[in-house]
Amino acid sequence: MIWNEKIECASRDEMTHIQSENLIKTVKRIYHNIPSYRAKMQEKGLLPGDIKSVEDLSKLPFTNKSDLRDNYPFGMFSVPMSEIVRVHASSGTTGKPTVVGYTRNDLQMWAEVVTRALCMAGVHKNDIVQIAYGYGLFTGGLGLHYGTENLGATVIPISGGNTKKQIQLMQDFGTSVIACTPSYALFMAEIMEEMGIAPDSLNLRGGIFGAEPWSENMRREIESKLELKAIDIYGLSEVVGPGVSCECEQQAGMHVNEDHFIPEIIDPETLEPVPKGELGELVFSTVTKEGIPILRYRTRDLTRLNYQKCTCGRTLVRMEKCTGRSDDMLIIRGVNVFPSQIESVLLEMSETEPHYQLIVEREGTLDVMKLLVEVQEQFFSDEIRELEALRKKITANIQGTLGISVDVKLVEPKTIERTSGKSKRVIDNRKI
Ligand code: DLL
């Protein structure tokens, strides 16, 4: 089902028209209400009247995560606090969290885009949706919650963690759709196996997975272990939360709700837009938000855009699965390394689990990369020779893919920390 056919199947001309009208309003709103962004526009000699359509988007200055931090907590809000009905925040890795505020209209818009996303994923009114994203300041839980209610499906608001109970409720309530991070989905599959519960004894048919990067291999693993269709959902708190984009049942890119969030792809070095279809950093401008409208927000996520009409009938532009972030990309001895590449190698090997931790140290002037890898139970042996052979095999496979050496250490199954939220795959101890 397509939730809002008029918008989701609009022609490019219609979409550009809607975007341009709302962009003009948003630029005015921001210029008049957010002093820090006004100052950036003034620096460039720009007045709101200079922005006449989406064609002019690239004239505008960027917004960075640091702008939100510098204006902590509410300095980027464009309405009085009496209009704000909810706040969320994202913790980030360092410093103060970034805080976002929603007006009543914003919450309605957010519910609408999440509902569209769920329909894209093939969820319908009769589904029972277990929401195992964290509820709280994180946008995952409440974001999915209101979108699911708006669709009319049944919500189980269990939040993250308490894995055995999650599985028990799946059994007892007949959960048909699970929403959580992909790494938590894999963890649940592991616990299910331990509990002796076969996936076909459950009613699960769909999974709405996002909030962290995951590979196509990981998708296949989750789909086969949980016997469901795994759908990728994307979003970030600064833009709205989950529902910025989502895959449809074709699993061929995530449709961006571009009547609300206009995407651009830029070269993260030159900051210039890249030619259509090329890989680069994703930038968003929100054009309907009231609480905290944001122009040209640099997501640091790397992807490309596809403007072709999808076989599902939607014309909303699609973004490819994010291959990583321009800033979690590790540069090790001059080589760009994405944690997702390592994950892919491990998933291709039958002896290993996709649970790993990458520890980067600097010894003298040299970067050293240590990789802890969990070995599958049946391959974990007392024979040093066997383990050493396996270690060498993993090392060779990783080196073959990344082009740099890595010090692999095998660890016992289930020893790398699991979380119900975003997994922490990389520990970078270098002081650069
Ligand atoms: O993670 C919102 C969300 C919740 C999305 C639930 C999907 C499901 P933040 O905590 O602000 O918001 O983190 C945003 O997470 O810039 C990406 O780097 C990453 N991310 C989110 N979804 C995906 C995805 C939520 N599907 C940051 N694939 C983003 C890859 C993702 N990365």
Side-chain angles (χ1 to χ4, degrees), residues 86-100:
R86 183 165 350 134
V87 292
H88 278 284
S90 93
S91 51
T93 41
T94 48
K96 293 211 178 95
T98 48
V99 183
V100 287

Side-chain angles (χ1 to χ4, degrees), residues 183-227:
S183 53
Y184 192 50
L186 265 186
F187 180 55
M188 284 199 211
E190 220 171 68
I191 300 292
M192 249 181 232
E193 224 174 288
E194 261 178 38
M195 291 166 76
I197 294 166
D200 61 3
S201 68
L202 300 175
N203 195 30
L204 280 181
R205 61 175 199 90
I208 313 290
F209 304 127
E212 63 186 7
W214 52 306
S215 57
E216 281 301 332
N217 278 335
M218 186 139 163
R219 184 199 317 259
R220 280 190 285 277
E221 179 102 358
I222 297 175
E223 289 192 330
S224 82
K225 284 198 164 158
L226 287 176
E227 294 184 9

Side-chain angles (χ1 to χ4, degrees), residues 67-98:
D67 293 314
L68 283 129
R69 291 226 173 95
D70 295 346
N71 291 287
Y72 176 85
F74 306 142
M76 298 281 279
F77 289 10
S78 87
V79 294
M81 278 312 275
S82 57
E83 300 294 310
I84 297 285
V85 294
R86 183 165 350 134
V87 292
H88 278 284
S90 93
S91 51
T93 41
T94 48
K96 293 211 178 95
T98 48

Side-chain angles (χ1 to χ4, degrees), residues 133 138 180-186 209-215 218 222 232-235 254 301 321-322 324-325 328 343 419-425:
Y133 286 112
F138 176 54
C180 61
T181 57
S183 53
Y184 192 50
L186 265 186
F209 304 127
E212 63 186 7
W214 52 306
S215 57
M218 186 139 163
I222 297 175
D232 197 355
I233 186 168
Y234 169 90
M254 296 180 274
D301 294 317
K321 244 177 164 345
C322 293
R325 290 172 56 83
D328 90 358
E343 182 187 288
T419 95
S420 61
K422 300 182 197 235
S423 50
K424 180 138 181 65
R425 302 289 197 204

Side-chain angles (χ1 to χ4, degrees), residues 4-22 54 116 256-263 287 307 315-317:
N4 189 339
E5 203 164 328
K6 195 164 170 285
I7 294 287
E8 294 176 69
C9 304
S11 69
R12 187 49 41 198
D13 279 353
E14 284 164 344
M15 183 55 73
T16 309
H17 180 72
I18 296 171
Q19 289 175 329
S20 297
E21 280 207 326
N22 286 325
V54 278
R116 287 186 202 169
V256 179
N257 283 306
E258 55 173 320
D259 52 325
H260 298 289
F261 323 115
I262 308 179
V287 288
Y307 283 89
T315 48
L316 292 177
V317 62

Side-chain angles (χ1 to χ4, degrees), residues 230-251:
I231 294 290
D232 197 355
I233 186 168
Y234 169 90
L236 60 163
S237 359
E238 294 85 347
V239 172
V240 80
V244 172
S245 67
C246 189
E247 281 178 341
C248 63
E249 288 176 277
Q250 306 296 318
Q251 297 174 310

